[in-house]
């Protein structure tokens, strides 16, 4: 059983408190930490938004959100009531500065507490909110500000946001959140590589053929159409989630787990990504957009139909990336993400090289190269595919076998959601799992030429049927290198 270490008493001020992220993720995460005793009961959650409502009415919305988004086995009505008593609501306008008197009064009651300002708003509000925090003298030495992704829509806007927020907060107080980094299995990448000599000594181009990173969703854009049509899959998923996974896979061992030591190594990976030139866009990138099809057994409309108009926004991206480092020379990283795909799955596949020479007779079966599959969701775990002798008499026959670890079964415990861990890390002042400014900007520097090349191209995103694994061009992207996408966690062969 993992030891629960309580954090210090804190005030969490959530801007955008009536939004989907707050009610679906943040409040349930804080409730879970409250229930497990990690969030002290004297702590407060101060919800701030422009909506005119009362604290009692807002608490009722929070309670309903807990009912809707927490598993029945994890929900306790009495504890939920106690948690809601920690929640207070204040109406204010983050841009104009109107109505801030209520927040000032609430925070003045506990001036020495840790303050976590969580900006669950559109990125263009980050600067104005931070300026109003400063104007009302609410930023203390014990304050942190948490910024949701995306940080901007390109390099220039990311720099502008970082400049605005950085004018008010020190870099050590800024926590740029990527919830993928809070997932248990993502953190296990560090343990897998740096706590096991058997893997780290094999983690190089001599032994690894290629790496695949897939983040697939079965849903469409749902209620995020307005945001998504301006962003697209490249900005929404690749620039942050997938590149952060690539960093953890490709980084060199840090000298320690000191936050900046870890982030320094990730930054080296981002700066070591070989730029994709205009002439390579056709062979190294694929963008697609789903059309009508069948998803989870039901007919679903295409992206343009959901929007109500035609669009050039991509809902699918596949990329071939290369890291300019001796460790990874000649090892491609294939990245893939999309909506309306057949399975909701996030996984990393490390494909090892085949044995150089088979000593087994022709009838023993064809040798398959070893493969390590790291499942981030939905069933967190790891699978190692090996060749093994088929049991029984009658000669030597080989077949693939699997070493399969489900974290849920292996450790028989509930894993905290990513936001639970990251929120508590922000309270503790531990930025290891958050992105530093130079990381964000280095990621945009690599992504931006692709954005520009796609914008200049006359070709529209390639259509793919909802419920499929994307455009056929994505298959060609990897198969022209003699490789194949991994698409079945439950495969038996």
């Amino acid at each position: 059983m993992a030891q629960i270490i309580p954090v210090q008493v804190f005030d969490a001020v959530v801007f955008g408190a009536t939004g989907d992220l707050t009610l679906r993720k943040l409040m349930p995460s804080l409730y879970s930490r409250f229930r497990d005793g990690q969030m002290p009961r004297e702590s407060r959650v101060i919800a701030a938004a422009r909506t005119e409502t009362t604290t009692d009415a807002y608490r009722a919305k929070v309670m309903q959100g807990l009912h809707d988004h927490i598993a029945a086995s994890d929900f306790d009505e009495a504890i939920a009531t106690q948690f809601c008593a920690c929640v207070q609501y204040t109406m204010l306008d983050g841009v104009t500065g109107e109505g801030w008197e209520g927040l000032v009064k609430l925070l003045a009651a506990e001036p020495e507490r840790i303050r976590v300002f969580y900006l669950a708003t559109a990125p263009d509000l980050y600067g104005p909110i931070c300026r109003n925090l400063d104007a009302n003298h609410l930023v203390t030495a014990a304050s942190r500000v948490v910024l949701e992704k995306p940080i901007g829509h390109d390099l220039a806007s990311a720099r502008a946001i970082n400049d605005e927020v950085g004018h008010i907060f020190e870099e050590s107080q800024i926590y740029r959140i990527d919830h993928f980094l809070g997932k248990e299995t993502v953190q296990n990448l560090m343990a897998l590589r740096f706590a096991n000599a058997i893997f780290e000594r094999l983690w190089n181009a001599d032994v690894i053929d290629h790496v695949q990173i897939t983040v697939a969703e079965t849903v469409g854009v749902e209620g995020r159409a307005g945001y998504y049509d301006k962003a697209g899959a490249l900005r929404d998923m690749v620039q942050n989630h997938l590149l952060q996974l690539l960093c953890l896979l490709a980084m060199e061992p840090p000298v320690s787990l000191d936050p900046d030591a870890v982030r320094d190594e990730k930054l080296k990976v981002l700066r070591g990504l070989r730029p994709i030139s205009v002439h390579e866009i056709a062979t190294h990138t694929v963008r697609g957009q789903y059309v009508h099809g069948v998803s989870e057994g039901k007919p679903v409309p295409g992206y343009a139909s959901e929007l109500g108009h035609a669009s050039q926004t991509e809902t699918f991206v596949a990329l071939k990336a290369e890291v300019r480092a001796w460790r990874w020379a000649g090892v491609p990283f294939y990245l893939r993400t999309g909506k309306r795909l057949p399975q909701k799955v996030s996984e990393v596949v490390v494909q090892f090289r085949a044995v150089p020479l088979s000593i087994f007779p022709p009838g023993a079966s064809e040798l398959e190269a070893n493969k390590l599959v790291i499942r981030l969701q939905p069933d967190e775990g790891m699978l190692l595919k090996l060749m093994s002798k088929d049991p029984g008499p009658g000669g030597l026959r080989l077949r693939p076998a699997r070493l399969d670890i489900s974290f849920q079964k292996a450790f028989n415990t509930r894993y905290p959601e990513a936001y639970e861990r990251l929120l508590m890390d922000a309270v503790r002042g531990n930025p290891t799992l958050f992105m530093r400014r130079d990381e964000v900007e280095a990621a945009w520097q690599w992504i931006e030429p692709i954005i520009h090349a796609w914008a200049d191209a006359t070709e529209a995103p390639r259509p793919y049927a909802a419920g499929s694994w994307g455009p056929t061009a994505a298959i060609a992207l990897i198969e022209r290198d003699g490789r194949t996408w991994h698409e079945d966690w439950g495969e038996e062969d």
Side-chain angles (χ1 to χ4, degrees):
M1 175 71 74
Q3 183 181 5
I4 302 295
I5 303 174
V7 299
Q8 294 182 51
V9 177
F10 65 92
D11 287 337
V13 182
V14 182
F15 293 89
T18 56
D20 179 67
L21 173 65
T22 300
L23 297 172
R24 181 170 52 88
K25 288 293 185 182
L26 302 185
M27 291 300 180
S29 295
L30 288 167
Y31 158 81
S32 296
R33 296 300 87 220
F34 181 89
R35 182 199 60 213
D36 290 352
Q38 193 168 23
M39 173 181 166
R41 304 206 166 197
E42 301 82 7
S43 297
R44 295 182 298 176
V45 181
I46 301 172
R50 291 182 298 178
T51 304
E52 186 173 351
T53 188
T54 65
T55 290
D56 286 343
Y58 186 76
R59 286 174 176 170
K61 285 180 72 75
V62 172
M63 180 65 83
Q64 185 60 52
L66 300 181
H67 273 290
D68 293 344
H69 302 296
I70 292 177
S73 58
D74 295 326
F75 183 79
D76 185 300
E77 189 83 31
I79 294 177
T81 301
Q82 294 169 19
F83 169 74
C84 287
C86 299
V87 177
Q88 300 191 47
Y89 183 84
T90 184
M91 186 177 72
L92 55 75
D93 191 309
V95 177
T96 66
E98 294 179 3
W100 281 66
E101 300 84 5
L103 178 60
V104 171
K105 184 178 179 180
L106 284 168
L107 292 178
E110 302 289 349
E112 303 302 319
R113 279 189 183 178
I114 293 170
R115 295 175 180 176
V116 178
F117 300 109
Y118 199 112
L119 309 192
T121 66
D124 58 358
L125 300 183
Y126 295 168
I129 290 173
C130 289
R131 288 196 298 271
N132 280 307
L133 287 171
D134 184 52
N136 287 281
H137 309 291
L138 298 178
V139 180
T140 65
S143 295
R144 307 87 156 88
V145 61
V146 181
L147 309 181
E148 269 287 340
K149 66 92 178 172
I151 308 294
H153 59 271
D154 57 14
L155 181 58
S157 59
R159 284 176 172 161
I161 290 171
N162 283 327
D163 285 343
E164 283 190 285
V165 177
H167 185 69
I168 308 301
F169 290 89
E170 298 291 333
E171 177 63 27
S172 61
Q173 296 177 296
I174 303 172
Y175 290 70
R176 300 171 187 84
I177 195 168
D178 183 338
H179 72 272
F180 261 54
L181 295 182
K183 291 182 179 293
E184 191 72 30
T185 326
V186 173
Q187 293 175 72
N188 249 313
L189 288 174
M190 298 276 283
L192 176 75
R193 290 192 54 195
F194 305 132
N196 298 285
I198 185 174
F199 285 117
E200 183 55 23
R201 294 183 182 183
L202 303 177
W203 216 256
N204 57 65
D206 293 337
V207 185
I208 293 176
D209 178 78
H210 72 278
V211 178
Q212 299 179 27
I213 302 174
T214 295
V215 178
E217 300 178 277
T218 56
V219 297
V221 293
E222 298 181 306
R224 301 173 69 226
Y227 156 75
Y228 195 89
D229 199 48
K230 296 177 182 177
L234 189 66
R235 290 182 174 94
D236 187 50
M237 297 295 291
V238 178
Q239 187 272 338
N240 38 76
H241 297 336
L242 274 71
L243 287 188
Q244 284 293 310
L245 288 175
L246 189 155
C247 286
L248 292 175
L249 289 161
M251 64 188 276
E252 292 297 319
V255 296
S256 70
L257 288 181
D258 175 78
D260 279 328
V262 173
R263 297 190 291 182
D264 284 346
E265 295 303 332
K266 290 199 294 173
L267 179 63
K268 291 177 185 177
V269 175
L270 291 168
R271 289 179 172 170
L273 286 171
R274 189 177 72 80
I276 297 176
S277 70
V278 173
H279 304 295
E280 294 174 319
I281 289 294
T283 56
H284 284 57
T285 77
V286 174
R287 60 172 176 158
Q289 185 183 108
Y290 64 84
V291 296
H292 69 277
V294 177
S295 178
E296 298 181 315
K298 298 178 181 178
V300 294
Y303 177 72
S305 297
E306 289 179 339
L307 282 181
H309 58 80
S311 171
Q312 296 294 302
T313 299
E314 78 283 352
T315 61
F316 176 96
V317 173
L319 301 173
K320 176 182 176 181
E322 299 171 59
V323 180
R324 295 173 296 186
W326 280 18
R327 180 190 289 264
W328 299 111
V331 178
F333 287 75
Y334 298 100
L335 281 56
R336 177 177 59 162
T337 185
K339 291 187 174 295
R340 289 293 189 210
L341 300 181
Q343 298 179 39
K344 178 179 174 61
V345 59
S346 299
E347 68 181 16
V348 171
V349 177
V350 180
Q351 179 68 63
F352 295 97
R353 297 189 184 279
V355 295
L357 176 68
S358 174
I359 64 171
F360 300 97
S365 181
E366 183 179 349
L367 296 186
E368 295 185 20
N370 301 135
K371 180 188 295 184
L372 175 66
V373 182
I374 304 167
R375 171 60 66 90
L376 310 179
Q377 65 177 20
D379 304 314
E380 296 183 331
M382 292 187 290
L383 178 153
L384 181 62
K385 190 171 182 180
L386 305 167
M387 292 303 296
S388 177
K389 179 185 177 297
D390 199 355
L396 182 62
R397 297 183 304 277
L398 302 176
R399 71 174 182 183
R402 305 189 303 169
L403 297 179
D404 197 345
I405 300 174
S406 164
F407 290 157
Q408 182 80 26
K409 294 177 182 177
F411 300 107
N412 193 30
T413 187
R414 173 191 177 271
Y415 285 105
E417 292 284 339
Y419 277 103
E420 297 177 42
R421 176 176 290 103
L422 295 173
L423 285 165
M424 295 301 100
D425 278 356
V427 174
R428 289 193 188 96
N430 181 0
T432 306
L433 299 176
F434 296 82
M435 291 181 288
R436 207 166 56 190
R437 171 176 182 156
D438 48 10
E439 284 184 80
V440 173
E441 294 179 6
W444 276 121
Q445 280 184 306
W446 189 73
I447 289 290
E448 199 167 62
I450 303 172
I451 294 174
H452 291 161
W454 284 354
D456 293 340
T458 56
E459 183 182 10
R462 297 173 184 268
Y464 65 96
S468 71
W469 278 107
T472 55
I475 301 173
L477 180 142
I478 191 170
E479 290 194 347
R480 71 169 60 97
D481 294 338
R483 301 174 175 112
T484 304
W485 290 109
H486 175 86
E487 291 178 352
D488 187 2
W489 169 263
E491 66 182 356
E492 297 297 334
D493 58 347

